[in-house]
Amino acid sequence: MTVNPRLVRAIVAKELREFRRNRSLVVGMAIVPIIFSIQPLVAVFTLTTSASEPLRHEHVLLYMLGIPALVPSLVASYSVVGEREQGTLEPLLTTPIRREELLLGKALATFIPGVVVAYAVFGLFVACVELFAQPGVAAALIHPSDLIAQLLFTPLLAGWSIWVAIVISTRSNDIRVAQQLSTLASLPSVALTTLISLNVIDVSLLTAVITAVVLILLNRIGWRVASALFDRERLILGTKA
Amino acid sequence: MDAVSTAPALSADRLSKHFGDRVAFQDVSFEIGYGEVFGFLGPNGAGKTTTVRTLGTLLTPTSGTASVAGLPLTPDNGVEIRRRISIMPESPGLYLRLTVLENLRCFADLYQVPTATKRIEQVLSAVHLTDRAHDACGALSKGLRQRVALARALLNDPQVLFLDEPTSGLDPVAARGVHDLIDELRQRGVTIFLTTHRLDEAERLCDRVAILNTTLRTIGRPDQLRDELFARTLTVRTAVPLAAPDRVFGSVTGVSSWHENDLTTYVLTVDDPTQAAPAVTRALVQADADVLSINPSHHSLEDVYLELIDVPAGQP
Ligand SMILES: Nc1ncnc2c1ncn2[C@@H]1O[C@H](COP(=O)(O)OP(=O)(O)OP(=O)(O)O)[C@@H](O)[C@H]1O
Ligand SMILES: [Mg+2]
């Protein structure tokens, strides 16, 4: 199957416009990153130079990977069930778009703002540490390998949690249930990155590479599974909830 | 192109759709030619919307076959069929946070309309909404939303256009606008499958109508259905009862039988009212009758509908 980029673009453009005008969605996307950054910022600012020394061998920054794991899934969980509740899914499905294209468009539309927010918050966090933390703390906390890991895993984790949320959105009949289930489904990723950042789980370059490959595969599989589970008939008939 | 113009635009052969135990429609068969406006009538829950959705590739039929815009209705043809048709659903389903223009822009892209901007202008002016292009759809009234949905269905210049109750909730002027638009589309050769509860609308617009109540009750031209169902009659009213009505009506050619409704009203069964009426008039004048009126019977599509809709399925 070849994907028609114009159709995917049409969905992305439409979704981004809708997000911008959906205040509760914008607030939701802002709140989670803020909650995520407050505690580490306070911790870092109160950290003394000597106390930061042991952190040289830890991956404190990877804690911030919870943002891409959580934020886009909040929006993605809305994607299909939201259209159903608004009654806009039926007209959309009368157009020539294939379900694979529709879902890819929906995924990209949450991926783009999700990754932008995650990178921006991370960038701000690093900048704050560099500028305002006690001398030496920045050098102890910020390692090039962690920066690379952050850059690499942000889109991979975001993509994975988006596909999980879309699958949930495709199969559920209620927006709130979909959002709660999606958040729940993101927790394993958040737990994993948190445990790594707390040094509970030890990571090497090899495990990082393997994890990345697995996530890439999971993203491909997620697209396939979501498309296979997208049942036109059930989605149209269920509209009269 | 030739193959397209000779094959029916839309056909169904013993098409059925069940939802579990519930039958939405059963054994529906018809053929609709290109450029035909086909009315699909029936009471609430008759299966009209389900038929539209099935022919529009949104639902898979339980049994039977169909072809849409020259293509067999199969899952593999879904995308190509949807490219050639469009559906204005029962409820408009607009993105309320987006403007009229943004809604249309999205669908123009999904239909890959080549000159989208120009096309959007055309469809907006066709539904008289050019001045509301920049309004959010959420700020439009029900009737205006309906018109945006109609504009959206015109974007891809479909071969077959499904309209599911397009004038429900429209004011008389707007409904007239939609009727004019349907006429215009017919002239351009667009096939229109129109479901409606408004029998006057169907009678005025449709080349043929079908009446559905889970099964198809009848199908034909509105005037033909009237003739099939109702004997043609002339009703004669006189000031005083005729002395010998049998002598007056019995000898008139074209009158096959007659009966008295009351003392001064006579109902004559005739082959052709336009030929029988002058002959009956002459006979009455010769008999020195004081005639008040001679009227041909008028049965509307509504009479046909009411007559057929309650007949249990399976009976003629
Ligand atoms: N999602 C569904 N699940 C089960 N049955 C359904 C569903 N949708 C429709 N039906 C049933 O199918 C039958 C046909 O419904 P449909 O909506 O096609 O009727 P309609 O002719 O369009 O009616 P109306 O004039 O009210 O629009 C009805 O008995 C209806 O209850
Ligand atoms: Mg209906």
Side-chain angles (χ1 to χ4, degrees):
Chain A
M1 201 213 66
T2 51
V3 167
N4 184 327
R6 184 169 172 194
L7 304 190
V8 176
R9 264 204 311 274
I11 296 294
V12 173
K14 185 266 306 175
E15 293 275 298
L16 291 180
R17 277 204 185 96
E18 273 207 297
F19 292 164
R20 277 209 304 274
R21 291 176 205 165
N22 188 340
R23 180 146 346 133
S24 62
L25 219 63
V26 173
V27 170
M29 280 197 108
I31 278 183
V32 175
I34 290 172
I35 292 173
F36 248 87
S37 345
I38 287 176
Q39 189 269 334
L41 272 182
V42 171
V44 166
F45 288 165
T46 52
L47 204 61
T48 57
T49 311
S50 56
S52 73
E53 205 43 40
L55 298 179
R56 255 179 212 290
H57 306 291
E58 298 187 9
H59 310 282
V60 178
L61 289 181
L62 293 186
Y63 173 75
M64 302 294 278
L65 279 173
I67 294 173
L70 265 182
V71 173
S73 86
L74 274 178
V75 184
S77 64
Y78 180 83
S79 59
V80 179
V81 69
E83 293 247 11
R84 259 175 83 184
E85 285 202 2
Q86 293 178 58
T88 49
L89 193 61
E90 180 168 357
L92 201 55
L93 294 183
T94 65
T95 71
I97 195 165
R98 292 183 169 85
R99 54 192 179 174
E100 289 85 356
E101 292 160 337
L102 173 61
L103 293 180
L104 184 60
K106 293 239 165 214
L108 283 174
T110 42
F111 181 82
I112 296 165
V115 169
V116 167
V117 166
Y119 278 154
V121 172
F122 182 70
L124 273 174
F125 183 81
V126 170
C128 284
V129 173
E130 291 276 8
L131 292 175
F132 305 119
Q134 306 273 330
V137 170
L141 286 187
I142 302 167
H143 322 141
S145 64
D146 284 2
L147 291 181
I148 292 169
Q150 184 81 25
L151 282 179
L152 176 68
F153 283 103
T154 290
L156 291 178
L157 280 173
W160 166 239
S161 68
I162 285 170
W163 285 122
V164 172
I166 288 182
V167 165
I168 291 169
S169 189
T170 303
R171 301 306 291 188
S172 60
N173 294 316
D174 184 275
I175 290 182
R176 256 173 312 170
V177 172
Q179 257 163 3
Q180 283 157 5
L181 284 179
S182 302
T183 308
L184 210 61
S186 310
L187 290 185
S189 306
V190 178
L192 187 69
T193 51
T194 307
L195 290 178
I196 291 171
S197 74
L198 297 175
N199 245 20
V200 178
I201 298 177
D202 212 19
V203 282
S204 64
L205 181 62
L206 183 65
T207 49
V209 169
I210 292 173
T211 313
V213 171
V214 168
L215 277 172
I216 290 171
L217 289 176
L218 283 177
N219 273 294
R220 289 219 57 140
I221 294 169
W223 185 22
R224 288 269 167 79
V225 170
S227 303
L229 290 176
F230 187 94
D231 177 356
R232 260 167 210 278
E233 182 147 344
R234 200 187 63 83
L235 290 169
I236 296 264
L237 295 174
T239 312
K240 298 167 181 168
Chain B
M1 223 37 218
D2 273 344
V4 167
S5 51
T6 51
L10 205 56
S11 75
D13 186 22
R14 300 184 64 85
L15 201 65
S16 307
K17 178 70 189 176
H18 299 185
F19 297 120
D21 289 340
R22 167 163 286 140
V23 181
F25 62 86
Q26 174 84 33
D27 282 337
V28 169
S29 303
F30 54 74
E31 276 199 2
I32 302 173
Y34 278 91
E36 195 173 352
V37 177
F38 190 80
F40 209 54
L41 315 177
N44 295 128
K48 302 180 299 294
T49 298
T50 309
T51 307
V52 168
R53 286 171 167 173
T54 305
L55 292 171
T57 76
L58 296 175
L59 305 179
T60 319
T62 309
S63 63
T65 57
S67 82
V68 181
L71 294 168
L73 183 64
T74 60
D76 285 347
N77 284 338
V79 171
E80 188 52 37
I81 288 176
R82 290 200 292 278
R83 222 169 254 149
R84 298 181 186 189
I85 65 170
S86 68
I87 304 178
M88 175 187 173
E90 224 164 11
S91 53
L94 305 171
Y95 296 104
L96 300 182
R97 290 194 180 87
L98 304 188
T99 65
V100 172
L101 210 59
E102 288 165 344
N103 267 276
L104 294 177
R105 182 79 222 186
C106 172
F107 279 77
D109 287 340
L110 291 177
Y111 281 116
Q112 306 197 67
V113 174
T115 46
T117 310
K118 196 163 142 251
R119 185 70 194 147
I120 291 170
E121 272 171 29
Q122 285 170 348
V123 298
L124 273 177
S125 91
V127 299
H128 308 289
L129 272 180
T130 309
D131 55 332
R132 307 299 293 262
H134 295 284
D135 288 16
C137 285
L140 299 181
S141 73
K142 174 176 153 57
L144 296 181
R145 289 180 194 182
Q146 196 98 337
R147 276 149 70 183
V148 178
L150 182 57
R152 187 182 61 196
L154 299 175
L155 281 170
N156 65 329
D157 200 5
Q159 291 177 25
V160 181
L161 173 60
F162 293 90
L163 301 174
D164 199 350
E165 297 183 32
T167 53
S168 84
L170 293 194
D171 71 61
V173 174
R176 169 64 69 85
V178 172
H179 295 165
D180 292 346
L181 191 63
I182 291 175
D183 269 331
E184 213 179 288
L185 291 168
R186 182 221 315 265
Q187 274 158 30
R188 296 219 331 257
V190 178
T191 309
I192 296 173
F193 190 95
L194 170 76
T195 85
T196 179
H197 289 293
R198 296 181 49 179
L199 298 161
D200 58 323
E201 174 175 288
E203 186 152 25
R204 180 143 115 231
L205 292 173
C206 298
D207 301 307
R208 284 190 306 150
V209 298
I211 296 178
L212 179 83
N213 197 358
T214 309
T215 56
L216 215 54
R217 299 311 166 89
T218 192
I219 184 167
R221 291 201 317 275
D223 56 345
Q224 175 198 343
L225 295 179
R226 266 199 302 269
D227 292 353
E228 276 173 16
L229 220 60
F230 299 103
R232 299 192 154 205
T233 58
L234 283 177
T235 304
V236 176
R237 277 174 218 282
T238 55
V240 291
L242 293 172
D246 223 350
R247 269 227 315 274
V248 180
F249 300 130
S251 57
V252 183
T253 45
V255 177
S256 46
S257 69
W258 68 275
H259 66 269
E260 264 178 36
N261 249 12
D262 56 54
L263 282 177
T264 56
T265 308
Y266 307 89
V267 179
L268 284 55
T269 307
V270 298
D271 303 330
D272 181 352
T274 52
Q275 281 179 14
V280 170
T281 311
R282 278 194 296 275
L284 285 164
V285 170
Q286 265 171 24
D288 248 351
D290 298 328
V291 179
L292 292 179
S293 64
I294 302 178
N295 291 314
S297 58
H298 182 77
H299 288 284
S300 64
L301 186 58
E302 188 171 345
D303 297 320
V304 174
Y305 178 89
L306 293 173
E307 187 76 16
L308 285 174
I309 214 67
D310 286 330
V311 178
Q315 286 185 15

